[in-house]
Amino acid sequence: MSDSFSDKVNRAWYQGGVWIYLFAVFSFFYALVIFVKSRLQTPPIQTNVPVIVVGNITAGGTGKSPLVSYLVRYFQNKGYRVGIVSRGYGVAIPKTEVRFVQMDSAASEVGDEPLMLKRLLECDLALCPTRSLAVAALEETGCEVIIADDGLQHTAMYRDIELCVVDEARGIGNGWLLPTGPLREPKSRLRSVDAVVMNSSEHSVGSDERKRRHDFLPHATPVSYMQLCPQEFESLESGDIRETKNFVAYVNAEQCKAIAGIGNPQRFFDTLNDLGVLCPSHAYPDHYAFSNSDFPDPDAMILMTEKDAAKCRGLGLKNAWFLRVRPELQDKLADNLYNQLIARKRLQPK
């Protein structure tokens, strides 16, 4: 299958390509828009409850949602009622409407990532293009801590803490703003975040190469490391769960295919290879709306991400499985955030 234009752009961003600099004039215009917006933006009003933003400065997937789930569980275990705010990418929601995600919501109505998080965490989750309205709605429901899934660039929303997730293997690419490079904001933005969370993996570079690739990081910005560890496979139809080791022996005895409609599909395919699952793979655009036409044989074995599973549950796939990953942080990031909020009197200890 030939590469799409987006595939070629991504390769130029991260692996090099002279032709991509033909778009440089648009990047300069984009930088001007960012500058003007920053000067005109009025500071948002402080909320009654603390808000933690988990975002990124690059286009594409970096692993924000797993970190969101980690933080939600952390504060839930501390005894707090936690809510999630999201834009609801690809969903038509009026700017003044707040839409709550339910367990039986359709992905077409709320988006794939919000639905995945709702089913995984069973916490309050509100969507609105004007995220401050979603925050206010979650406050009214009694939420004591709010986590924003994305929204680093949505400066109209108040935030107490900003976390920027970076895919360690890819870094910030060529360091240019969109569309010449993958950056949504200048890399200098990292100076103002509370921490940069490096999403590392078995495919991350060695120590010397890691140091070189981290040159873009401001020296004063705290850096934390997160790894997504494969936990189990779950059947879309029956809900059966199999540990990864047992599943690998099972899946390699059959013909299967791996699919991914996420921001960085290669990460999922690499994870399967690391587990010993060797099968053909097919990447779809991020947030791709799967339909029955994408699966001509509903009995064929299909492996997918948990995010894609949120969109494929109603398609009648008889032998589809998704991989659930568990985020692990290599330091005490969550404890540090908790202590900061306590010290600022934004949270009362329980």
Side-chain angles (χ1 to χ4, degrees):
M1 182 176 179
S2 60
D3 287 345
S4 66
F5 180 70
S6 63
D7 292 330
K8 294 176 181 178
V9 168
N10 267 276
R11 189 158 51 246
W13 285 347
Y14 293 104
Q15 299 177 21
V18 176
W19 66 270
I20 198 68
Y21 296 99
L22 294 173
F23 299 103
V25 64
F26 298 104
S27 294
F28 286 119
F29 179 74
Y30 182 46
L32 179 62
V33 171
I34 294 175
F35 176 79
V36 173
K37 181 181 177 182
S38 67
R39 291 297 182 270
L40 298 178
Q41 182 77 56
T42 56
I45 299 174
Q46 187 182 69
T47 56
N48 295 320
V49 300
V51 178
I52 301 173
V53 172
V54 179
N56 60 12
I57 63 168
T58 55
T62 57
K64 298 186 302 295
S65 294
L67 180 56
V68 168
S69 67
Y70 180 95
L71 293 175
V72 169
R73 287 197 175 103
Y74 175 87
F75 283 100
Q76 285 177 334
N77 291 336
K78 289 282 188 183
Y80 298 97
R81 181 171 176 176
V82 187
I84 299 176
V85 166
S86 179
R87 165 65 177 84
Y89 182 86
V91 180
I93 302 177
K95 289 185 178 182
T96 57
E97 177 188 336
V98 177
R99 184 173 300 176
F100 282 88
V101 183
Q102 308 298 331
M103 294 291 287
D104 58 352
S105 294
S108 59
E109 298 175 342
V110 298
D112 48 12
E113 288 177 345
L115 184 57
M116 175 192 72
L117 290 170
K118 177 66 178 181
R119 290 173 173 170
L120 182 65
L121 303 168
E122 298 185 17
C123 66
D124 299 292
L125 205 160
L127 311 177
C128 185
T130 308
R131 289 177 174 86
S132 57
L133 295 180
V135 171
L138 288 175
E139 286 187 80
E140 292 180 4
T141 65
C143 288
E144 300 165 290
V145 179
I146 295 175
I147 313 292
D149 184 13
D150 210 352
L152 196 61
Q153 290 75 38
H154 192 77
T155 53
M157 175 182 61
Y158 179 83
R159 71 280 312 275
D160 292 271
I161 291 173
E162 293 182 326
L163 302 177
C164 181
V165 184
V166 176
D167 185 321
E168 185 186 31
R170 299 200 299 175
I172 60 170
N174 60 16
W176 276 68
L177 288 170
L178 292 165
T180 311
L183 291 181
R184 300 180 183 182
E185 296 181 274
K187 63 182 181 181
S188 58
R189 176 69 168 85
L190 296 175
R191 297 173 188 163
S192 62
V193 301
D194 293 272
V196 172
V197 181
M198 286 288 185
N199 186 3
S200 60
S201 71
E202 294 298 324
H203 294 271
S204 297
V205 293
S207 58
D208 291 340
E209 180 67 7
R210 167 179 282 183
K211 183 178 179 181
R212 186 186 70 81
R213 290 202 178 186
H214 290 189
D215 284 346
F216 66 87
L217 291 174
H219 293 296
T221 302
V223 179
S224 182
Y225 292 90
M226 175 180 72
Q227 189 166 10
L228 304 182
C229 301
Q231 185 175 13
E232 60 197 14
F233 285 88
E234 181 173 327
S235 168
L236 263 69
E237 182 183 46
S238 65
D240 289 345
I241 294 176
R242 300 195 180 194
E243 294 183 356
T244 54
K245 291 182 180 180
N246 296 333
F247 186 80
V248 169
Y250 164 71
V251 72
N252 282 340
E254 298 191 24
Q255 290 185 342
C256 68
K257 178 181 178 181
I259 64 168
I262 58 178
N264 183 10
Q266 192 57 47
R267 177 182 287 273
F268 173 61
F269 302 144
D270 288 341
T271 299
L272 292 179
N273 288 335
D274 288 343
L275 291 173
V277 178
L278 306 177
C279 63
S281 60
H282 185 88
Y284 293 83
D286 194 13
H287 303 287
Y288 180 76
F290 289 97
S291 65
N292 289 103
S293 62
D294 295 308
F295 307 99
D297 182 2
D299 295 319
M301 174 172 273
I302 302 292
L303 306 182
M304 63 182 67
T305 68
E306 189 166 11
K307 173 180 167 180
D308 292 319
K311 297 174 289 188
C312 295
R313 288 186 182 276
L315 299 181
L317 303 180
K318 305 299 183 182
N319 199 10
W321 298 76
F322 69 85
L323 175 63
R324 176 167 286 135
V325 297
R326 181 184 69 255
E328 290 187 354
L329 272 67
Q330 300 174 10
D331 51 32
K332 297 182 178 180
L333 174 66
D335 288 336
N336 292 337
L337 301 181
Y338 172 71
N339 291 333
Q340 286 182 44
L341 294 175
I342 295 294
R344 298 175 192 174
K345 301 187 183 301
R346 294 289 283 156
L347 266 184
Q348 294 297 322
K350 291 192 175 184

